[in-house]
């Protein structure tokens, strides 16, 4: 953030006030000419109200590049409140920057204050045109409802099939138990002695579950704050501050669930588990931030965070995040919860039969990620246009509905694929459920490439690195969060079906 030198004192009119006098070098002229040619615009804020304006214009008749040097601000007020602000460039006061030569430029501005009857609580109505309200609202709702209905119909169709198949399985296994006790078992009942065998890389597995649970809690808290109106549409930094603070305060959840699961899976190296949990998401995010902030500093961009802000974040991590993570880990380690397995695990695992290629992990991840991604595909465009464009996202109710649909669809599709995996006597469902549940994050990353090259006008190393750097971290967070949802849903399902039959 940069503080502009414009002085807009309350109810103080100004005419042709000098902002500064600047001697533009040849390099400065070229930079401004490129900005005018590519329709660059500036964005400023006054009393949390945004204003936009172009740097200059191209005179198509004379093929000249003109730089605006005089801005006129018009501010509306009611009593002691600022209601509205606009800025317009005086096109008669412009400088020709077509040729590469040094120029002396006087930048000036004027301010006009006007009284209005509009109340303070209606001052955001003007800015509706810059968000997706109201002209896109009907189309937006229709698209979301259409997408959700399609996804729910597919989900219901799969649920009906799965319930019918399960019912037939229960009837078949009941008859087998009544007829011949020593009859050879087939299908998912056949692997009852292996289905609850602990997964490999237990420490990493539990760290994923802890971090995913924390991110899911973080998302729910953010939605709650958004729905009650905490995030003022043009209050810059409020969302990012909330993300940092809530993430720090919920780190105890990550420590607790990671350590609790690690204890249930009979893990012993608690310190490594907690370190892995603390670094699993923060580590890549911190490294990405360091690289991107360095790039921003090298380009002398306003996107670079100042040293003081960075130190505040480091102190929050050291004094809040880490202690809460450790306390949560201690509580999870000392919890009395035992792993609930309806069936005893055999000493040696059964051999997994040869399976066709489409039963592999990657094809299953593709199938698992497609349906949830189709539920959020439409909403992604609006979100990307808000985060990486000039639009402002204000329809949090729609986004919350889409989020709930995403969680439900992810849970169900992972359950369905887990059942089909067990039905072919493949008992390695622990990691598979995490990978299938989180595969939507990989689809979102793929959409990032489509949006960058097909929908956005971003160019250059800095914009490319910022876009893909931060979006990769967000998609990674989605992977952890939805992977945890997929595993928890699959675990409930597997426990239910094996508890419903006689496995001894």
């Amino acid at each position: 953030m940069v503080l502009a030198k414009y002085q807009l004192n309350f109810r103080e009119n100004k005419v042709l006030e000098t902002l500064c006098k600047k001697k533009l070098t040849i390099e400065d002229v070229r930079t401004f000419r490129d900005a005018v040619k590519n329709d660059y615009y500036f964005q400023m804020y006054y009393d949390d109200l945004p204003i936009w304006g172009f740097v200059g214009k191209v005179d198509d008749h004379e093929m000249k590049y003109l730089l605006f040097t005089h801005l006129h601000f018009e501010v509306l007020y009611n009593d002691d409140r600022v209601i509205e602000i606009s800025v317009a460039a005086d096109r008669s006061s412009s400088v020709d920057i077509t040729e590469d030569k040094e120029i002396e430029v006087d930048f000036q501005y004027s301010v006009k204050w006007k009284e209005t009857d509009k109340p303070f609580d209606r001052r955001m109505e003007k800015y509706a045109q810059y968000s997706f309200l109201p002209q896109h609202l009907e189309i937006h709702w229709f698209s979301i409802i259409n997408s959700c209905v399609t996804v729910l119909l597919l989900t219901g169709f799969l649920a009906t099939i799965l319930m019918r198949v399960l019912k037939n399985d229960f009837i078949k296994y009941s008859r087998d138990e009544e007829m011949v006790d020593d009859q050879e078992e087939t299908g998912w009942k056949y692997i009852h002695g292996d289905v609850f065998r602990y997964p490999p890389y237990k420490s990493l597995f539990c760290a994923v579950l802890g971090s995913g649970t924390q991110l899911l809690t973080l998302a729910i808290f953010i939605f709650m704050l958004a729905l009650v109106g905490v995030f003022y549409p043009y209050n810059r930094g409020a969302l990012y501050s909330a993300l940092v603070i809530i993430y720090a305060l919920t780190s105890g959840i990550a420590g607790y669930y990671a350590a609790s699961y690690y204890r249930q899976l009979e893990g012993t190296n608690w310190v490594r588990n907690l370190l892995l949990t603390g670094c699993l998401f923060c580590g890549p995010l911190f490294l990405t931030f360091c690289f991107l902030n360095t790039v921003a500093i090298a380009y002398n961009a306003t996107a670079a965070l100042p040293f003081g802000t960075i130190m505040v974040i480091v102190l929050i991590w050291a004094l809040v995040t880490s202690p809460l993570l450790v306390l949560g880990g201690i509580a999870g380690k000392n919890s009395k919860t035992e792993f609930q397995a309806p069936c005893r695990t055999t000493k040696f695992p059964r051999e997994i039969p040869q399976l066709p290629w489409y039963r592999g992990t990657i094809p299953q991840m593709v199938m698992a990620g497609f349906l949830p991604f189709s539920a959020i595909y439409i909403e992604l465009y609006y979100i990307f246009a808000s985060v990486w464009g000039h639009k402002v996202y204000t329809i949090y109710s729609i986004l919350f509905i889409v989020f709930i649909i995403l969680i439900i669809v992810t849970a169900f599709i992972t359950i369905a694929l887990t059942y089909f995996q067990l039905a072919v006597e493949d008992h390695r469902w622990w990691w598979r459920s995490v990978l299938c549940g989180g595969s939507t994050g990989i689809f979102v990353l793929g959409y990032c490439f489509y949006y960058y090259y097909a929908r956005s006008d971003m160019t250059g190393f800095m914009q490319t690195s910022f876009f893909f750097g931060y979006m990769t971290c967000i998609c990674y967070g989605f992977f952890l969060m939805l992977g945890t949802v997929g595993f928890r849903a699959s675990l409930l399902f597997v426990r239910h079906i094996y508890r419903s039959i006689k496995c001894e």
Side-chain angles (χ1 to χ4, degrees), residues 5 67 118 144 215 236 238 242 293 299 330 380 470:
K5 295 183 178 181
L67 174 67
K118 182 184 290 188
I144 292 301
L215 293 173
R236 299 150 296 137
N293 210 56
Y299 277 81
I330 294 173
L380 281 179
Y470 282 126

Side-chain angles (χ1 to χ4, degrees), residues 5 8 46 102 158 218 223 252 274 360 374 468 479 499 501:
K5 295 183 178 181
L8 274 66
Y46 185 74
E102 294 184 350
L158 288 174
L218 170 67
F223 273 115
L274 277 181
S374 65
F468 285 108
F479 179 86
R499 193 179 289 120
I501 61 171

Side-chain angles (χ1 to χ4, degrees), residues 23 37 44 49 69 77 85-86 159 161 165 181 188 203 215 251 274 290 303 337 379 382 386 388 391 407 454 481 494:
K23 183 176 183 180
K37 181 180 180 181
M44 296 187 289
L49 295 176
T69 60
Y77 68 94
I85 184 171
S86 60
I161 294 177
V165 170
D181 289 337
W188 53 268
S203 185
L215 293 173
S251 58
L274 277 181
C290 290
T337 308
E379 201 65 18
Y382 295 98
S386 300
W388 302 105
K391 295 292 184 182
I407 296 298
M481 180 180 70
V494 173

Side-chain angles (χ1 to χ4, degrees), residues 354-374:
Q354 188 73 27
L355 300 175
W357 65 270
Y358 56 85
R359 296 285 187 181
T361 302
I362 294 179
Q364 294 289 297
M365 290 175 64
V366 172
M367 287 188 279
F370 177 76
L371 193 58
F373 177 75
S374 65

